[in-house]
Every structure is written in C-alpha cells, then in structure tokens.
Amino acid sequence: MADTPVTLADADACVDAIIEQVGRHIILGLPLGLGKPVRLANALYHRACQDSSLKLEIVTALSLLAPGGSSSLEKRFMEPFAKRLYGDIPELAYAADVVRGRLPDNVRVSEFFFKAGSFLNNTAQQRHYVCTNYTHAVRDLMALGVNVVGQLVSPRSSEDDSLSLSCNPDLTLDLLLELSALRQQGKAVALVAETNRNMPFMGRDARVPASDFDIILERPSTDYPLFPVPHMSISAPDHLIGFYASTLLREGGTLQVGIGSLGAAFVHSTILRHQQNERWRSLHQALKVAERFPVAEQCGGTGVFEKGLYGCSEMMVDGFMHLLKAGVLTREVYDHAGLQQLVNEGLIGPDVSIETLDVLRQHELIDSPLRARDIHWLQDYGIVDPAATIRGGRLVVSDHSLEPDLDDPECRRKLAAVALGNRLKGGVVMHGGFYLGPNDFYQMLRDLGPAERNRICMTSVNFINHLYDHRFGNQELKSAQRGHSRFINSAMMVTLNGAAVSDGLDDGRVVSGVGGQYNFVAMAHELPQARSILTLRSTRSSKGQAVSNIVFSYGHCTIPRHLRDIVITEYGIADLRGRCDEDVYLGLIRIADSRFQQELLQQAQKVGKVAREFRLPEDWCNNTPEAVKAALGELDQGTFPPFPFGCDFTDEELVLGKALRSLKSATATRRGKLVTLWHAIRTRTDDPALQPLLHRMSLDSPTRLRERLDQRLLVHGLRRIGEPSESGSHSR
C-alpha cells in the first residue's frame, strides 16, 4: 500500500495517523479471532469514547474475552483460572463493553460470527449481526464501507522486510487487494499492522511485504501473550462420535475439521487408528461397524495411513499439529494441477530420477531439449539442481556443460549424474485460513523448523472454502489436491429430513454463525469422492432433562435437506446421500437416543414418511448412555482419556468443575433449586479432605452469609459426584 510504511511505537499516535488519513468516520475491519491488534483496537475505541465527534464502526467476528462466570460459585472458580491463563493479555475493551452493554452512541460493533451462545440475550448484537458465508465476508465487509483494516502480525523477517499475517491471512489477503483497488479510485483507506513477537512467523502466502501496510505499530516491550483456548474435556459420547468419524477416512485423503471436543475426539481416534491399529480395530469389530454401517467400508478404511492425509481446513486447529507429529498428516500437495495429477496417479513419486523427466515430457509439462523456462519450473519443485542454468542452448551445472536432450542416451546419463535433485520439494501438507487454540499449540508452531514450517501454508479462505475462486488457485488444481475429502463439522440438531441446525434458533436468534460450514458441505457434493460429515451428540440437557438433538422438524436450518450427506452420533453413522426420504428418516432414527426413537418414528409415520407397519428392530433399541460407557469400557481406561492432548486445569479444578456442573444441572428447575438448597443447608462441611478444594474456592473460612451458603452448596455438589473419594484423593 505504501512505499515506506510509517512505523510508530505509540498506539495513540497510530490513531492520530489513521484519523488524518481517512477522517473521523472510521469503519474498522478486524480479523476473526486471534489476529485482532488489541493495543490498536483499544486505542481507537478509547479515543471514540472520549470524543463523541469520532464515529467508529467495528466489523469483525469472534471477539475473544477471558471466561468469567454468572453465579458467585462460578466466579470463584473462573477468576483464578482466568488470571492464570489470561492475566498478562490486555482485555479487548470494545468487546468487554459489548458484553456489559456500555458502548457509547458513536460506536457500533457488528460481527458475522459469535462465540457459541455468547450473545443469545444481547439484543444489540443480535440486531447488528451480519449473516454471511465465510467466502462472502470480504464482499460484505467492503459493502459496509470498511476503510481501515487492523491486523496483528509477526514482525519483520530477518531475511527481508516482510511481515507474516500468521494466524489470519484468511480475509486479509483479499482485503489487501480490495483496499488497493479503492485507493487507486481515490478513496481514503488505511491498513495498519501491530507487531507481536509471540506470533509465529508463518511463510508462504501469509508472508507479505511490510509496504502492504500504511502504518506499523511496533513496540516490543508491550508485546503480550497470544489468547489461548483451553483444551476441552472429551466425554465418552464424544469419543465414540470421533471414533465413528475416523472409520470414514480414506488412505491418501483430505481432511477438514473444526474446533471443540468433537474435533479433538476425532483427531485422537485417527491417531489411535494409525499408531495403535490393532487396538483401534478391536473396537471397530466390537461395534460391528462394517456390518451395521456399510458406508464405513465403502468410503473409509481400517488400515494405517501409509500415504498420509492432507489438511485443507479454514481453521487450522491444534489437532492438525498432533496429526503431523503422529505421522498422519504427511501427504504433500503441489501448486501445479498437472504435476499434482501425476502424483495422484502414482506416475511421479517423491524421489527424482531421469524417469521423472520422461513422465513430465510425456504429459507435455516440459519439452526436449529442455528450455530455460523448463529448467526454472523444474527447479521450483526440486527436480533440477538449483544452480543449473541454460546458456547458449546448453545446460550448465557447476563445471559441467550438457546438451539438455532427453532423447540422447549420453545426455540422459549426464543429466542423471550431475543435474537432478533428490526429492520433490515445495509440497504442502496443510492449507489453513486461520488458527486458534491452546498455548501449547502456539508453542508448537513457534518451535517448527524452517522445513516443517514451509509445509504449512496459511492462506486465503477463498482458496480453501471456494472451488471456483480464481484469485487463489483454480478449480482444476483444487480438485486435484483434494482427493477423498472428508469435511467434518458439528451441528446442534438434525431434523429427520436431513436438514442441519448449526448456527441459530427458530425464533431468529443467532447462536454462532454459519462460518464456512455451508461452503464445505456444498463442496463435498461438488468434488469427486468427497463426503460431508456432520457430527452431534444425540441429546442435550435442558432444565435438568435429556432432550433429543435428532428432531422431527425445526423452524430454522443452516444446511438444507438437499445437501444431506453423512450424520454421526455416538450411536452410529447415518448415510443419507441419495437416499429416499423413508430411508433418511429411518437412518436418523436409528442413531437417535432410544428414549426418543418411538416418538420420532410415530411422528414420521403420522405424516406418511415411514410405513405404518414399520417397527423398531431390536438391535436399534440399545442406544443408551450405559451402552456408550460399556462400548468404551471394553478397552482400558487410558485408550480414550478425557484430555488426550493436555489439560489447562489442575486436578482440583477438574473436580470442582464437575461438581459445579452437577449443581447447575440439579438447579435447572425451580423445584430443583429448592431441593438442592435444602440438602445444602443440611450438609456438613467439616471433612478435612474437603479443605484443599474449599481453599481453592476461597471458601475454607467463610464469614458472610453468602460465603457460608456457597460453601455448603459446593460441598453438596462435591458429595453428589462422590468427592472426596474414600481414598482421600480426587478422581478425574
């Protein structure tokens, strides 16, 4: 954008420069999630709070705040935890005031994706929500008039004057092009980078010239830690869902997966399949997967991943790094459609030989004699020595001068001896649009060596989510790279006709946002041999009661019925693609919780979608929580742990969290509140084994009435989950 960007050490000075450049009506576009420049955003927001003549509109998604709590017990639990994880990270001021309802009249915040459930009761954010597919977000940002873009970046490379968009090239790569076009039209725009040395420097597409920005805020002494998302506990139902999903992976395939416990469970089972295949197969056989769910055999596999998998996911979750380290994420793809197709067909392997040149020539990717453009292209992929050049029609390598004729036996011998590389290079095992995850994930990225880092390409979401966008790759290339794709996403509910509810409620309120889910589901129907896999738990708890997530109908949908494909619950796999309605309805009833199957069947029969004489087979009717525990119980407890990739909570916090969840469930109704309070008042609190837990909650020496009541409620919650155990130790 600028030949020489202005580098400033003061955020307020950056605000002055922005106002001077674009005026007093700032429409600020900020990246989704981690890439928000907190110091810059806070300075702009505070200036707007102080100066009502400055109009500030913020357009973004997923504004991250440290977790808090609603009840006094939850606050006692969360505050020390939040201080430990987030205490050194400055709070995003506008986001905090959105939650508190304190935005001034001259500031407006619109988001196209929320943290799930965070704004259900925030009427301002519900009104200002922008509904858009991820691939349309840049278009809609530009339509809203964005004139300033702020981005957190990894600071300048020692090799040149470049910066790394690192965690968020997803939209910014496109916005750079759009704002450049606006500037050429004479519009006032500003691109501002805020550097942070804790941000991993990701290369390839994420590496951009510093001159792409007008202003750089750089003050290393104020660099702050990256915002972490704690590891989530994986329940037994989650593990079974993840296991079933892992049966659908095809060797040498492509993978997209989202964040959360269901995604983590899937990654764990995939690693188990690769590293402990015999143990994985024993559960596969115990669950009779091949017999009960033929789609697993038709589309998946049971072997290890000798060819590996390739990741292509709008969000690069920490699970991809675990798959990389486990030797699963190893299938490299190349940025040339012709070369990629030859690799797919096994005509070219990773090792380079003179036969590699023959195959390339046969498929008209190079000529003979080799020309300068052939040599440059071959060098890009490590096929020819990087020192080789064409001079006077001859191939020169060090002290050797060769005739580059592939038909001459002597030339071929010399080419093989002195001019060829050893292995193909430039391959990528992971394309990601943005990343967000726990602290150890960020450290893994920082610790990558140059060669490993170069196998990961953070890039535009339009390359990843959109087959037909030609600015970043083309359809032929993407189709060649994405063989046997499995796009794995989660849903809140699925209706019996196969529609999925993932982002909102039937009263119009937004839970999260569509994000890229629709893109991947649609892509699964466009790519050959691709499948969309939607995962969900069969039930949820509402007011202390189990409620089915497989429902007859619902007044909102994210994925329409005509894009139905594969749905997985902890009770199995429903293959819906191309099926008639009766088979779809029955396939979903089959994987519903047995407490709700009969009612769902009756509803389907009432409207004529299932034959009236149909009766639930006996082997469908054991879909119970007890059956889930029994299925996993056949293996030792260490095979499916609640935290396979690490835990941010202490042992005491895990126990306390379980007790608080138990209390929340018990008090979901008015009667439950009264019964719980009655039991809590009668609970003894003098057990010495309780003291460490009470001390963690600052309730070991209560003085006020509220503290004494909280103490008794907590002890009652601990008793409900069997704590302290008879041995005196805390169980996880």
Side-chain angles (χ1 to χ4, degrees):
M1 288 292 183
D3 292 335
T4 304
V6 176
T7 301
L8 300 170
D10 180 69
D12 286 323
C14 288
V15 174
D16 292 334
I18 291 169
I19 294 172
E20 182 179 354
Q21 191 155 329
V22 304
R24 304 188 67 78
H25 184 186
I26 296 171
I27 305 176
L28 174 65
L30 295 176
L32 176 152
L34 187 63
K36 292 179 176 60
V38 178
R39 291 173 294 178
L40 173 69
N42 284 353
L44 270 168
Y45 177 63
H46 289 144
R47 182 71 63 88
C49 290
Q50 296 161 6
D51 181 358
S52 61
S53 69
L54 180 64
K55 186 174 181 182
L56 175 63
E57 298 179 48
I58 299 173
V59 188
T60 186
L62 199 60
S63 297
L64 301 170
L65 290 171
S70 53
S71 70
S72 59
L73 277 175
E74 288 176 351
K75 290 176 181 177
R76 287 178 178 275
F77 175 80
M78 290 305 306
E79 285 174 3
F81 173 78
K83 185 177 181 180
R84 188 170 73 240
L85 258 69
Y86 305 99
D88 294 329
I89 304 172
E91 186 175 61
L92 199 55
Y94 79 80
D97 279 357
V98 163
V99 172
R100 299 175 187 129
R102 296 179 183 173
L103 288 181
D105 292 340
N106 59 319
V107 177
R108 174 171 169 167
V109 177
S110 299
E111 301 201 53
F112 64 85
F113 198 92
F114 299 148
K115 178 185 176 184
S118 59
F119 291 129
L120 275 176
N121 299 312
N122 189 311
T123 57
Q125 290 312 100
Q126 289 290 329
R127 294 197 310 273
H128 299 152
Y129 169 75
V130 177
C131 185
T132 186
N133 279 336
Y134 206 175
T135 48
H136 299 153
V138 168
R139 178 201 67 189
D140 294 341
L141 286 169
M142 299 308 297
L144 290 168
V146 165
N147 58 6
V148 178
V149 169
Q151 171 100 19
L152 193 66
V153 300
S154 183
R156 306 173 200 214
S157 165
S158 58
E159 301 172 14
D160 54 30
D161 201 33
S162 61
L163 303 170
S164 174
L165 301 177
S166 192
C167 61
N168 280 100
D170 50 343
L171 303 181
T172 305
L173 284 172
D174 298 78
L175 284 169
L176 290 173
L177 299 175
E178 296 288 348
L179 267 70
S180 177
L182 283 183
R183 175 163 296 177
Q184 290 174 7
Q185 298 168 18
K187 303 288 179 64
V189 297
L191 270 139
V192 188
E194 176 182 313
T195 66
N196 189 316
R197 280 158 179 73
N198 294 308
M199 184 71 75
F201 194 100
M202 308 302 291
R204 290 190 172 265
D205 292 354
R207 187 178 196 144
V208 297
S211 58
D212 278 355
F213 293 91
D214 301 295
I215 303 165
I216 298 176
L217 173 58
E218 189 163 27
R219 190 176 182 181
S221 63
T222 61
D223 286 354
Y224 44 86
L226 303 183
F227 191 101
V229 176
H231 292 282
M232 298 180 69
S233 175
I234 303 176
S235 66
D238 293 348
H239 269 304
L240 262 188
I241 292 169
F243 179 83
Y244 282 123
S246 73
T247 70
L248 297 171
L249 294 178
R250 180 63 63 88
E251 162 75 328
T254 303
L255 178 62
Q256 176 262 326
V257 65
I259 196 171
S261 60
L262 292 177
F266 160 75
V267 169
H268 175 69
S269 279
T270 301
I271 293 173
L272 187 71
R273 171 177 161 181
H274 184 66
Q275 294 187 333
Q276 302 182 50
N277 189 252
E278 186 175 339
R279 182 169 291 187
W280 183 91
R281 282 174 180 261
S282 69
L283 182 56
H284 189 278
Q285 293 166 0
L287 294 172
K288 300 179 180 178
V289 174
E291 175 185 334
R292 295 165 60 219
F293 309 113
V295 66
E297 192 166 3
Q298 295 162 6
C299 298
T302 60
V304 300
F305 300 100
E306 293 181 359
K307 297 179 183 177
L309 299 177
Y310 153 64
C312 187
S313 184
E314 64 180 25
M315 182 177 187
M316 183 173 74
V317 295
D318 63 308
F320 283 107
M321 290 301 296
H322 295 296
L323 290 170
L324 181 64
K325 292 186 178 297
V328 175
L329 199 70
T330 59
R331 183 171 78 85
E332 294 185 342
V333 300
Y334 301 89
D335 61 5
H336 188 280
L339 175 62
Q340 184 63 53
Q341 192 59 47
L342 295 175
V343 171
N344 293 349
E345 295 171 7
L347 298 176
I348 287 181
D351 296 321
V352 173
S353 67
I354 195 67
E355 286 74 23
T356 304
L357 299 182
D358 293 336
V359 172
L360 293 171
R361 181 189 178 195
Q362 180 184 349
H363 289 83
E364 301 182 346
L365 296 183
I366 59 173
D367 292 323
S368 179
L370 295 170
R371 296 168 296 175
R373 70 181 185 184
D374 296 322
I375 295 300
H376 294 152
W377 186 83
L378 291 166
Q379 287 171 329
D380 286 343
Y381 298 102
I383 300 170
V384 166
D385 189 300
T389 59
I390 294 287
R391 294 178 192 167
R394 296 182 66 80
L395 180 64
V396 178
V397 186
S398 299
D399 297 330
H400 302 276
S401 179
L402 318 172
E403 183 70 31
D405 185 353
L406 297 179
D407 293 322
D408 185 295
E410 182 61 19
C411 290
R412 291 171 61 85
R413 185 186 66 78
K414 291 181 178 179
L415 279 169
V418 301
L420 296 186
N422 296 316
R423 291 178 63 85
L424 287 181
K425 74 173 188 178
V428 168
V429 298
M430 178 75 218
H431 278 105
F434 74 99
Y435 64 75
L436 180 65
N439 276 321
D440 55 5
F441 172 43
Y442 304 147
Q443 191 58 50
M444 282 190 282
L445 291 175
R446 285 189 287 263
D447 290 343
L448 287 172
E452 285 182 302
R453 183 177 286 108
N454 201 46
R455 299 174 78 200
I456 298 172
C457 181
M458 300 300 297
T459 190
S460 166
V461 74
N462 281 304
F463 172 80
I464 295 164
N465 292 37
H466 196 350
L467 279 180
Y468 309 112
D469 187 286
H470 290 276
R471 288 173 295 178
F472 297 93
N474 57 60
Q475 181 186 355
E476 183 186 7
L477 172 64
K478 296 173 187 180
S479 297
Q481 291 175 339
R482 300 175 191 185
H484 294 287
S485 291
R486 301 294 180 262
F487 302 128
I488 303 174
N489 294 282
S490 60
M492 300 188 303
M493 291 176 278
V494 171
T495 63
L496 285 187
N497 67 12
V501 182
S502 306
D503 71 318
L505 304 180
D506 60 0
D507 61 9
R509 287 182 295 164
V510 178
V511 175
S512 53
V514 64
Q517 184 172 117
Y518 179 89
N519 298 136
F520 283 109
V521 172
M523 200 189 311
H525 289 267
E526 295 165 347
L527 283 171
Q529 303 170 323
R531 300 302 298 264
S532 162
I533 301 168
L534 293 181
T535 62
L536 74 162
R537 302 175 189 92
S538 67
T539 65
R540 66 185 185 277
S541 179
S542 177
K543 297 181 179 179
Q545 300 295 318
V547 178
S548 180
N549 287 328
I550 305 289
V551 297
F552 175 70
S553 63
Y554 196 71
H556 170 77
C557 84
T558 311
I559 305 300
R561 62 184 295 187
H562 64 270
L563 292 179
R564 58 197 184 194
D565 201 339
I566 292 174
V567 175
I568 297 178
T569 73
E570 64 269 35
Y571 300 119
I573 307 169
D575 181 13
L576 311 180
R577 181 187 285 191
R579 310 289 179 178
C580 69
D581 272 6
E582 183 174 47
D583 288 346
V584 169
Y585 278 62
L586 290 176
L588 289 167
I589 291 171
R590 182 180 186 180
I591 63 171
D593 189 287
S594 289
R595 289 169 287 182
F596 306 100
Q597 286 176 316
Q598 190 61 45
E599 180 184 356
L600 290 168
L601 176 61
Q602 290 170 355
Q603 289 175 297
Q605 290 173 325
K606 183 178 179 180
V607 297
K609 286 296 184 179
V610 173
R612 288 193 175 275
E613 61 270 18
F614 182 85
R615 297 294 180 268
L616 291 171
E618 185 177 347
D619 64 346
W620 289 22
C621 299
N622 191 34
N623 291 355
T624 65
E626 293 73 24
V628 170
K629 293 177 182 177
L632 295 181
E634 294 185 11
L635 300 176
D636 64 84
Q637 293 295 316
T639 304
F640 293 100
F643 293 96
F645 303 118
C647 182
D648 297 288
F649 295 97
T650 66
D651 287 349
E652 288 175 348
E653 287 169 343
L654 290 173
V655 173
L656 289 166
K658 187 176 180 181
L660 293 179
R661 289 192 297 273
S662 175
L663 279 176
K664 189 170 186 176
S665 175
T667 57
T669 63
R670 186 171 184 274
R671 183 178 183 278
K673 288 183 174 70
L674 293 173
V675 171
T676 299
L677 185 59
W678 170 253
H679 285 298
I681 291 172
R682 301 175 64 194
T683 296
R684 293 184 57 183
T685 63
D686 55 356
D687 186 344
L690 292 168
Q691 292 310 300
L693 298 170
L694 293 174
H695 178 73
R696 163 60 181 78
M697 297 285 282
S698 299
L699 289 172
D700 46 338
S701 301
T703 56
R704 293 177 293 179
L705 178 61
R706 175 76 253 185
E707 291 175 344
R708 290 196 292 270
L709 179 58
D710 279 351
Q711 184 196 58
R712 290 180 178 275
L713 284 168
L714 178 61
V715 172
H716 174 62
L718 290 166
R719 298 298 188 201
R720 281 175 56 86
I721 64 168
E723 292 288 344
S725 61
E726 292 182 4
S727 65
S729 61
H730 306 306
S731 61
R732 290 177 62 159

